[in-house]
PDB file of all heavy atoms in Angstrom:
ATOM      1  N   LEU A   1     -26.070  42.529 -67.458  1.00  0.00           N
ATOM      2  CA  LEU A   1     -25.933  43.983 -67.307  1.00  0.00           C
ATOM      3  C   LEU A   1     -26.025  44.334 -65.832  1.00  0.00           C
ATOM      4  O   LEU A   1     -26.996  43.968 -65.167  1.00  0.00           O
ATOM      5  CB  LEU A   1     -27.032  44.690 -68.097  1.00  0.00           C
ATOM      6  CG  LEU A   1     -27.076  46.213 -67.984  1.00  0.00           C
ATOM      7  CD1 LEU A   1     -25.805  46.844 -68.517  1.00  0.00           C
ATOM      8  CD2 LEU A   1     -28.296  46.756 -68.733  1.00  0.00           C
ATOM      9  N   VAL A   2     -25.050  45.069 -65.329  1.00  0.00           N
ATOM     10  CA  VAL A   2     -24.989  45.419 -63.921  1.00  0.00           C
ATOM     11  C   VAL A   2     -25.454  46.852 -63.682  1.00  0.00           C
ATOM     12  O   VAL A   2     -26.258  47.111 -62.782  1.00  0.00           O
ATOM     13  CB  VAL A   2     -23.557  45.253 -63.385  1.00  0.00           C
ATOM     14  CG1 VAL A   2     -23.447  45.730 -61.941  1.00  0.00           C
ATOM     15  CG2 VAL A   2     -23.100  43.813 -63.516  1.00  0.00           C
ATOM     16  N   ALA A   3     -24.948  47.791 -64.476  1.00  0.00           N
ATOM     17  CA  ALA A   3     -25.263  49.198 -64.246  1.00  0.00           C
ATOM     18  C   ALA A   3     -25.057  49.993 -65.527  1.00  0.00           C
ATOM     19  O   ALA A   3     -24.222  49.625 -66.363  1.00  0.00           O
ATOM     20  CB  ALA A   3     -24.387  49.769 -63.137  1.00  0.00           C
ATOM     21  N   THR A   4     -25.816  51.078 -65.639  1.00  0.00           N
ATOM     22  CA  THR A   4     -25.677  51.970 -66.785  1.00  0.00           C
ATOM     23  C   THR A   4     -25.583  53.409 -66.296  1.00  0.00           C
ATOM     24  O   THR A   4     -26.067  53.744 -65.208  1.00  0.00           O
ATOM     25  CB  THR A   4     -26.868  51.858 -67.749  1.00  0.00           C
ATOM     26  OG1 THR A   4     -28.033  52.380 -67.090  1.00  0.00           O
ATOM     27  CG2 THR A   4     -27.131  50.424 -68.153  1.00  0.00           C
ATOM     28  N   ILE A   5     -24.994  54.260 -67.116  1.00  0.00           N
ATOM     29  CA  ILE A   5     -24.888  55.675 -66.785  1.00  0.00           C
ATOM     30  C   ILE A   5     -24.993  56.471 -68.071  1.00  0.00           C
ATOM     31  O   ILE A   5     -24.405  56.097 -69.099  1.00  0.00           O
ATOM     32  CB  ILE A   5     -23.566  55.968 -66.031  1.00  0.00           C
ATOM     33  CG1 ILE A   5     -23.544  57.409 -65.518  1.00  0.00           C
ATOM     34  CG2 ILE A   5     -22.340  55.641 -66.887  1.00  0.00           C
ATOM     35  CD1 ILE A   5     -22.440  57.664 -64.494  1.00  0.00           C
ATOM     36  N   THR A   6     -25.771  57.542 -68.036  1.00  0.00           N
ATOM     37  CA  THR A   6     -25.924  58.383 -69.213  1.00  0.00           C
ATOM     38  C   THR A   6     -24.659  59.212 -69.441  1.00  0.00           C
ATOM     39  O   THR A   6     -23.757  59.247 -68.597  1.00  0.00           O
ATOM     40  CB  THR A   6     -27.126  59.312 -69.055  1.00  0.00           C
ATOM     41  OG1 THR A   6     -26.979  60.063 -67.834  1.00  0.00           O
ATOM     42  CG2 THR A   6     -28.427  58.527 -69.010  1.00  0.00           C
ATOM     43  N   SER A   7     -24.611  59.869 -70.585  1.00  0.00           N
ATOM     44  CA  SER A   7     -23.409  60.600 -70.966  1.00  0.00           C
ATOM     45  C   SER A   7     -23.046  61.701 -69.964  1.00  0.00           C
ATOM     46  O   SER A   7     -21.871  61.959 -69.721  1.00  0.00           O
ATOM     47  CB  SER A   7     -23.570  61.203 -72.359  1.00  0.00           C
ATOM     48  OG  SER A   7     -24.679  62.074 -72.397  1.00  0.00           O
ATOM     49  N   THR A   8     -24.073  62.305 -69.377  1.00  0.00           N
ATOM     50  CA  THR A   8     -23.816  63.372 -68.408  1.00  0.00           C
ATOM     51  C   THR A   8     -23.543  62.826 -67.014  1.00  0.00           C
ATOM     52  O   THR A   8     -23.027  63.538 -66.158  1.00  0.00           O
ATOM     53  CB  THR A   8     -25.023  64.310 -68.311  1.00  0.00           C
ATOM     54  OG1 THR A   8     -26.159  63.534 -67.909  1.00  0.00           O
ATOM     55  CG2 THR A   8     -25.292  64.996 -69.640  1.00  0.00           C
ATOM     56  N   GLY A   9     -23.942  61.584 -66.785  1.00  0.00           N
ATOM     57  CA  GLY A   9     -23.803  60.996 -65.460  1.00  0.00           C
ATOM     58  C   GLY A   9     -24.983  61.269 -64.557  1.00  0.00           C
ATOM     59  O   GLY A   9     -25.016  60.805 -63.418  1.00  0.00           O
ATOM     60  N   TYR A  10     -25.976  61.989 -65.068  1.00  0.00           N
ATOM     61  CA  TYR A  10     -27.102  62.378 -64.213  1.00  0.00           C
ATOM     62  C   TYR A  10     -28.059  61.219 -63.936  1.00  0.00           C
ATOM     63  O   TYR A  10     -28.755  61.216 -62.924  1.00  0.00           O
ATOM     64  CB  TYR A  10     -27.880  63.532 -64.846  1.00  0.00           C
ATOM     65  CG  TYR A  10     -27.120  64.839 -64.872  1.00  0.00           C
ATOM     66  CD1 TYR A  10     -27.416  65.805 -65.836  1.00  0.00           C
ATOM     67  CD2 TYR A  10     -26.115  65.115 -63.957  1.00  0.00           C
ATOM     68  CE1 TYR A  10     -26.737  67.012 -65.867  1.00  0.00           C
ATOM     69  CE2 TYR A  10     -25.426  66.312 -63.983  1.00  0.00           C
ATOM     70  CZ  TYR A  10     -25.739  67.261 -64.940  1.00  0.00           C
ATOM     71  OH  TYR A  10     -25.056  68.454 -64.979  1.00  0.00           O
ATOM     72  N   THR A  11     -28.116  60.256 -64.844  1.00  0.00           N
ATOM     73  CA  THR A  11     -29.050  59.145 -64.676  1.00  0.00           C
ATOM     74  C   THR A  11     -28.292  57.826 -64.665  1.00  0.00           C
ATOM     75  O   THR A  11     -27.455  57.578 -65.547  1.00  0.00           O
ATOM     76  CB  THR A  11     -30.089  59.124 -65.808  1.00  0.00           C
ATOM     77  OG1 THR A  11     -30.794  60.375 -65.807  1.00  0.00           O
ATOM     78  CG2 THR A  11     -31.088  57.996 -65.604  1.00  0.00           C
ATOM     79  N   THR A  12     -28.597  57.019 -63.670  1.00  0.00           N
ATOM     80  CA  THR A  12     -27.970  55.705 -63.541  1.00  0.00           C
ATOM     81  C   THR A  12     -29.046  54.651 -63.291  1.00  0.00           C
ATOM     82  O   THR A  12     -30.118  54.956 -62.758  1.00  0.00           O
ATOM     83  CB  THR A  12     -26.967  55.684 -62.370  1.00  0.00           C
ATOM     84  OG1 THR A  12     -27.653  56.028 -61.160  1.00  0.00           O
ATOM     85  CG2 THR A  12     -25.836  56.671 -62.600  1.00  0.00           C
ATOM     86  N   THR A  13     -28.762  53.427 -63.695  1.00  0.00           N
ATOM     87  CA  THR A  13     -29.659  52.312 -63.417  1.00  0.00           C
ATOM     88  C   THR A  13     -28.826  51.123 -62.946  1.00  0.00           C
ATOM     89  O   THR A  13     -27.627  51.016 -63.283  1.00  0.00           O
ATOM     90  CB  THR A  13     -30.472  51.897 -64.651  1.00  0.00           C
ATOM     91  OG1 THR A  13     -29.571  51.423 -65.660  1.00  0.00           O
ATOM     92  CG2 THR A  13     -31.276  53.057 -65.201  1.00  0.00           C
ATOM     93  N   TYR A  14     -29.467  50.231 -62.195  1.00  0.00           N
ATOM     94  CA  TYR A  14     -28.775  49.074 -61.632  1.00  0.00           C
ATOM     95  C   TYR A  14     -29.653  47.839 -61.715  1.00  0.00           C
ATOM     96  O   TYR A  14     -30.885  47.926 -61.608  1.00  0.00           O
ATOM     97  CB  TYR A  14     -28.441  49.324 -60.155  1.00  0.00           C
ATOM     98  CG  TYR A  14     -27.552  50.517 -59.927  1.00  0.00           C
ATOM     99  CD1 TYR A  14     -28.095  51.777 -59.705  1.00  0.00           C
ATOM    100  CD2 TYR A  14     -26.162  50.385 -59.935  1.00  0.00           C
ATOM    101  CE1 TYR A  14     -27.278  52.883 -59.513  1.00  0.00           C
ATOM    102  CE2 TYR A  14     -25.340  51.485 -59.733  1.00  0.00           C
ATOM    103  CZ  TYR A  14     -25.912  52.727 -59.526  1.00  0.00           C
ATOM    104  OH  TYR A  14     -25.105  53.809 -59.333  1.00  0.00           O
ATOM    105  N   VAL A  15     -29.008  46.683 -61.860  1.00  0.00           N
ATOM    106  CA  VAL A  15     -29.726  45.432 -61.705  1.00  0.00           C
ATOM    107  C   VAL A  15     -30.107  45.296 -60.233  1.00  0.00           C
ATOM    108  O   VAL A  15     -29.378  45.775 -59.351  1.00  0.00           O
ATOM    109  CB  VAL A  15     -28.862  44.250 -62.187  1.00  0.00           C
ATOM    110  CG1 VAL A  15     -27.663  44.027 -61.277  1.00  0.00           C
ATOM    111  CG2 VAL A  15     -29.687  42.996 -62.316  1.00  0.00           C
ATOM    112  N   GLY A  16     -31.236  44.659 -59.975  1.00  0.00           N
ATOM    113  CA  GLY A  16     -31.761  44.623 -58.619  1.00  0.00           C
ATOM    114  C   GLY A  16     -30.807  44.059 -57.578  1.00  0.00           C
ATOM    115  O   GLY A  16     -30.776  44.511 -56.429  1.00  0.00           O
ATOM    116  N   SER A  17     -30.009  43.086 -57.973  1.00  0.00           N
ATOM    117  CA  SER A  17     -29.145  42.410 -57.008  1.00  0.00           C
ATOM    118  C   SER A  17     -28.005  43.284 -56.478  1.00  0.00           C
ATOM    119  O   SER A  17     -27.380  42.928 -55.477  1.00  0.00           O
ATOM    120  CB  SER A  17     -28.563  41.146 -57.639  1.00  0.00           C
ATOM    121  OG  SER A  17     -27.833  41.463 -58.799  1.00  0.00           O
ATOM    122  N   VAL A  18     -27.727  44.418 -57.134  1.00  0.00           N
ATOM    123  CA  VAL A  18     -26.627  45.276 -56.681  1.00  0.00           C
ATOM    124  C   VAL A  18     -27.110  46.638 -56.182  1.00  0.00           C
ATOM    125  O   VAL A  18     -26.304  47.431 -55.692  1.00  0.00           O
ATOM    126  CB  VAL A  18     -25.559  45.479 -57.776  1.00  0.00           C
ATOM    127  CG1 VAL A  18     -25.109  44.143 -58.344  1.00  0.00           C
ATOM    128  CG2 VAL A  18     -26.049  46.406 -58.879  1.00  0.00           C
ATOM    129  N   LYS A  19     -28.394  46.899 -56.295  1.00  0.00           N
ATOM    130  CA  LYS A  19     -28.918  48.200 -55.863  1.00  0.00           C
ATOM    131  C   LYS A  19     -28.615  48.436 -54.387  1.00  0.00           C
ATOM    132  O   LYS A  19     -28.801  47.551 -53.558  1.00  0.00           O
ATOM    133  CB  LYS A  19     -30.428  48.257 -56.090  1.00  0.00           C
ATOM    134  CG  LYS A  19     -30.819  48.597 -57.508  1.00  0.00           C
ATOM    135  CD  LYS A  19     -32.339  48.704 -57.643  1.00  0.00           C
ATOM    136  CE  LYS A  19     -32.736  49.014 -59.064  1.00  0.00           C
ATOM    137  NZ  LYS A  19     -34.211  49.052 -59.238  1.00  0.00           N
ATOM    138  N   GLY A  20     -28.138  49.637 -54.093  1.00  0.00           N
ATOM    139  CA  GLY A  20     -27.788  49.981 -52.724  1.00  0.00           C
ATOM    140  C   GLY A  20     -26.385  49.577 -52.327  1.00  0.00           C
ATOM    141  O   GLY A  20     -25.901  49.987 -51.265  1.00  0.00           O
ATOM    142  N   ARG A  21     -25.724  48.767 -53.145  1.00  0.00           N
ATOM    143  CA  ARG A  21     -24.361  48.319 -52.831  1.00  0.00           C
ATOM    144  C   ARG A  21     -23.341  48.844 -53.841  1.00  0.00           C
ATOM    145  O   ARG A  21     -22.193  49.112 -53.479  1.00  0.00           O
ATOM    146  CB  ARG A  21     -24.300  46.794 -52.812  1.00  0.00           C
ATOM    147  CG  ARG A  21     -25.216  46.148 -51.794  1.00  0.00           C
ATOM    148  CD  ARG A  21     -24.960  44.643 -51.681  1.00  0.00           C
ATOM    149  NE  ARG A  21     -25.220  43.935 -52.922  1.00  0.00           N
ATOM    150  CZ  ARG A  21     -24.302  43.218 -53.584  1.00  0.00           C
ATOM    151  NH1 ARG A  21     -23.066  43.116 -53.117  1.00  0.00           N
ATOM    152  NH2 ARG A  21     -24.636  42.580 -54.711  1.00  0.00           N
ATOM    153  N   PHE A  22     -23.732  48.953 -55.094  1.00  0.00           N
ATOM    154  CA  PHE A  22     -22.830  49.404 -56.161  1.00  0.00           C
ATOM    155  C   PHE A  22     -23.212  50.823 -56.603  1.00  0.00           C
ATOM    156  O   PHE A  22     -24.384  51.185 -56.608  1.00  0.00           O
ATOM    157  CB  PHE A  22     -22.920  48.491 -57.379  1.00  0.00           C
ATOM    158  CG  PHE A  22     -22.345  47.119 -57.200  1.00  0.00           C
ATOM    159  CD1 PHE A  22     -21.988  46.612 -55.970  1.00  0.00           C
ATOM    160  CD2 PHE A  22     -22.159  46.300 -58.313  1.00  0.00           C
ATOM    161  CE1 PHE A  22     -21.463  45.340 -55.820  1.00  0.00           C
ATOM    162  CE2 PHE A  22     -21.641  45.023 -58.197  1.00  0.00           C
ATOM    163  CZ  PHE A  22     -21.299  44.541 -56.940  1.00  0.00           C
ATOM    164  N   THR A  23     -22.206  51.585 -56.997  1.00  0.00           N
ATOM    165  CA  THR A  23     -22.426  52.923 -57.530  1.00  0.00           C
ATOM    166  C   THR A  23     -21.597  53.114 -58.790  1.00  0.00           C
ATOM    167  O   THR A  23     -20.364  52.974 -58.756  1.00  0.00           O
ATOM    168  CB  THR A  23     -22.042  53.995 -56.508  1.00  0.00           C
ATOM    169  OG1 THR A  23     -22.796  53.814 -55.309  1.00  0.00           O
ATOM    170  CG2 THR A  23     -22.333  55.394 -57.057  1.00  0.00           C
ATOM    171  N   ILE A  24     -22.283  53.420 -59.882  1.00  0.00           N
ATOM    172  CA  ILE A  24     -21.606  53.716 -61.141  1.00  0.00           C
ATOM    173  C   ILE A  24     -21.414  55.225 -61.245  1.00  0.00           C
ATOM    174  O   ILE A  24     -22.283  56.009 -60.833  1.00  0.00           O
ATOM    175  CB  ILE A  24     -22.413  53.172 -62.341  1.00  0.00           C
ATOM    176  CG1 ILE A  24     -21.629  53.290 -63.647  1.00  0.00           C
ATOM    177  CG2 ILE A  24     -23.778  53.836 -62.446  1.00  0.00           C
ATOM    178  CD1 ILE A  24     -22.307  52.598 -64.828  1.00  0.00           C
ATOM    179  N   SER A  25     -20.267  55.635 -61.762  1.00  0.00           N
ATOM    180  CA  SER A  25     -19.997  57.061 -61.927  1.00  0.00           C
ATOM    181  C   SER A  25     -19.031  57.247 -63.090  1.00  0.00           C
ATOM    182  O   SER A  25     -18.519  56.269 -63.633  1.00  0.00           O
ATOM    183  CB  SER A  25     -19.414  57.660 -60.637  1.00  0.00           C
ATOM    184  OG  SER A  25     -18.173  57.063 -60.318  1.00  0.00           O
ATOM    185  N   ARG A  26     -18.791  58.491 -63.439  1.00  0.00           N
ATOM    186  CA  ARG A  26     -17.873  58.771 -64.542  1.00  0.00           C
ATOM    187  C   ARG A  26     -17.220  60.120 -64.354  1.00  0.00           C
ATOM    188  O   ARG A  26     -17.773  61.017 -63.715  1.00  0.00           O
ATOM    189  CB  ARG A  26     -18.620  58.713 -65.882  1.00  0.00           C
ATOM    190  CG  ARG A  26     -19.688  59.778 -66.039  1.00  0.00           C
ATOM    191  CD  ARG A  26     -20.575  59.481 -67.249  1.00  0.00           C
ATOM    192  NE  ARG A  26     -19.820  59.548 -68.499  1.00  0.00           N
ATOM    193  CZ  ARG A  26     -20.207  58.943 -69.644  1.00  0.00           C
ATOM    194  NH1 ARG A  26     -21.319  58.224 -69.669  1.00  0.00           N
ATOM    195  NH2 ARG A  26     -19.484  59.067 -70.721  1.00  0.00           N
ATOM    196  N   ASP A  27     -16.052  60.264 -64.970  1.00  0.00           N
ATOM    197  CA  ASP A  27     -15.335  61.527 -65.010  1.00  0.00           C
ATOM    198  C   ASP A  27     -15.060  61.811 -66.481  1.00  0.00           C
ATOM    199  O   ASP A  27     -14.123  61.236 -67.068  1.00  0.00           O
ATOM    200  CB  ASP A  27     -14.035  61.422 -64.213  1.00  0.00           C
ATOM    201  CG  ASP A  27     -13.287  62.746 -64.128  1.00  0.00           C
ATOM    202  OD1 ASP A  27     -13.502  63.601 -65.010  1.00  0.00           O
ATOM    203  OD2 ASP A  27     -12.494  62.914 -63.202  1.00  0.00           O
ATOM    204  N   ASN A  28     -15.869  62.656 -67.085  1.00  0.00           N
ATOM    205  CA  ASN A  28     -15.724  62.910 -68.518  1.00  0.00           C
ATOM    206  C   ASN A  28     -14.413  63.613 -68.855  1.00  0.00           C
ATOM    207  O   ASN A  28     -13.896  63.453 -69.956  1.00  0.00           O
ATOM    208  CB  ASN A  28     -16.916  63.704 -69.033  1.00  0.00           C
ATOM    209  CG  ASN A  28     -18.167  62.845 -69.179  1.00  0.00           C
ATOM    210  OD1 ASN A  28     -18.094  61.606 -69.125  1.00  0.00           O
ATOM    211  ND2 ASN A  28     -19.318  63.474 -69.327  1.00  0.00           N
ATOM    212  N   ALA A  29     -13.872  64.378 -67.917  1.00  0.00           N
ATOM    213  CA  ALA A  29     -12.588  65.038 -68.156  1.00  0.00           C
ATOM    214  C   ALA A  29     -11.449  64.015 -68.272  1.00  0.00           C
ATOM    215  O   ALA A  29     -10.451  64.269 -68.944  1.00  0.00           O
ATOM    216  CB  ALA A  29     -12.290  66.023 -67.043  1.00  0.00           C
ATOM    217  N   LYS A  30     -11.619  62.877 -67.627  1.00  0.00           N
ATOM    218  CA  LYS A  30     -10.597  61.819 -67.667  1.00  0.00           C
ATOM    219  C   LYS A  30     -10.990  60.665 -68.574  1.00  0.00           C
ATOM    220  O   LYS A  30     -10.255  59.677 -68.666  1.00  0.00           O
ATOM    221  CB  LYS A  30     -10.339  61.287 -66.258  1.00  0.00           C
ATOM    222  CG  LYS A  30      -9.752  62.305 -65.305  1.00  0.00           C
ATOM    223  CD  LYS A  30      -9.488  61.679 -63.946  1.00  0.00           C
ATOM    224  CE  LYS A  30      -8.853  62.690 -62.990  1.00  0.00           C
ATOM    225  NZ  LYS A  30      -8.610  62.109 -61.644  1.00  0.00           N
ATOM    226  N   SER A  31     -12.144  60.758 -69.218  1.00  0.00           N
ATOM    227  CA  SER A  31     -12.647  59.662 -70.065  1.00  0.00           C
ATOM    228  C   SER A  31     -12.600  58.333 -69.314  1.00  0.00           C
ATOM    229  O   SER A  31     -12.149  57.308 -69.848  1.00  0.00           O
ATOM    230  CB  SER A  31     -11.832  59.564 -71.363  1.00  0.00           C
ATOM    231  OG  SER A  31     -12.019  60.718 -72.155  1.00  0.00           O
ATOM    232  N   THR A  32     -13.084  58.348 -68.107  1.00  0.00           N
ATOM    233  CA  THR A  32     -13.026  57.166 -67.248  1.00  0.00           C
ATOM    234  C   THR A  32     -14.360  56.956 -66.552  1.00  0.00           C
ATOM    235  O   THR A  32     -14.992  57.904 -66.086  1.00  0.00           O
ATOM    236  CB  THR A  32     -11.902  57.303 -66.212  1.00  0.00           C
ATOM    237  OG1 THR A  32     -10.654  57.490 -66.889  1.00  0.00           O
ATOM    238  CG2 THR A  32     -11.807  56.057 -65.344  1.00  0.00           C
ATOM    239  N   MET A  33     -14.752  55.691 -66.478  1.00  0.00           N
ATOM    240  CA  MET A  33     -15.961  55.285 -65.763  1.00  0.00           C
ATOM    241  C   MET A  33     -15.545  54.427 -64.576  1.00  0.00           C
ATOM    242  O   MET A  33     -14.506  53.757 -64.624  1.00  0.00           O
ATOM    243  CB  MET A  33     -16.868  54.482 -66.704  1.00  0.00           C
ATOM    244  CG  MET A  33     -18.110  53.937 -66.053  1.00  0.00           C
ATOM    245  SD  MET A  33     -19.209  53.084 -67.199  1.00  0.00           S
ATOM    246  CE  MET A  33     -18.231  51.652 -67.658  1.00  0.00           C
ATOM    247  N   TYR A  34     -16.362  54.454 -63.532  1.00  0.00           N
ATOM    248  CA  TYR A  34     -16.035  53.719 -62.314  1.00  0.00           C
ATOM    249  C   TYR A  34     -17.220  52.862 -61.873  1.00  0.00           C
ATOM    250  O   TYR A  34     -18.368  53.134 -62.221  1.00  0.00           O
ATOM    251  CB  TYR A  34     -15.696  54.703 -61.190  1.00  0.00           C
ATOM    252  CG  TYR A  34     -14.590  55.655 -61.532  1.00  0.00           C
ATOM    253  CD1 TYR A  34     -14.879  56.938 -61.985  1.00  0.00           C
ATOM    254  CD2 TYR A  34     -13.259  55.273 -61.426  1.00  0.00           C
ATOM    255  CE1 TYR A  34     -13.867  57.827 -62.314  1.00  0.00           C
ATOM    256  CE2 TYR A  34     -12.238  56.155 -61.753  1.00  0.00           C
ATOM    257  CZ  TYR A  34     -12.547  57.432 -62.196  1.00  0.00           C
ATOM    258  OH  TYR A  34     -11.539  58.303 -62.525  1.00  0.00           O
TER     259      TYR A  34
END
């Protein structure tokens, strides 16, 4: 598991090895996660 994001996108979590380097996000209008 690398990263998680809640349905609203307000809360995210990361595995320690990627913290500060990776960013998870989402666009609910486009049904797409990044």
Side-chain angles (χ1 to χ4, degrees):
L1 177 62
V2 175
T4 68
I5 188 166
T6 55
S7 59
T8 59
Y10 291 154
T11 302
T12 58
T13 64
Y14 300 91
V15 68
S17 59
V18 309
K19 278 183 181 177
R21 300 188 298 121
F22 290 12
T23 302
I24 188 172
S25 62
R26 64 192 295 158
D27 184 336
N28 284 347
K30 296 182 178 179
S31 295
T32 302
M33 176 176 67
Y34 304 97

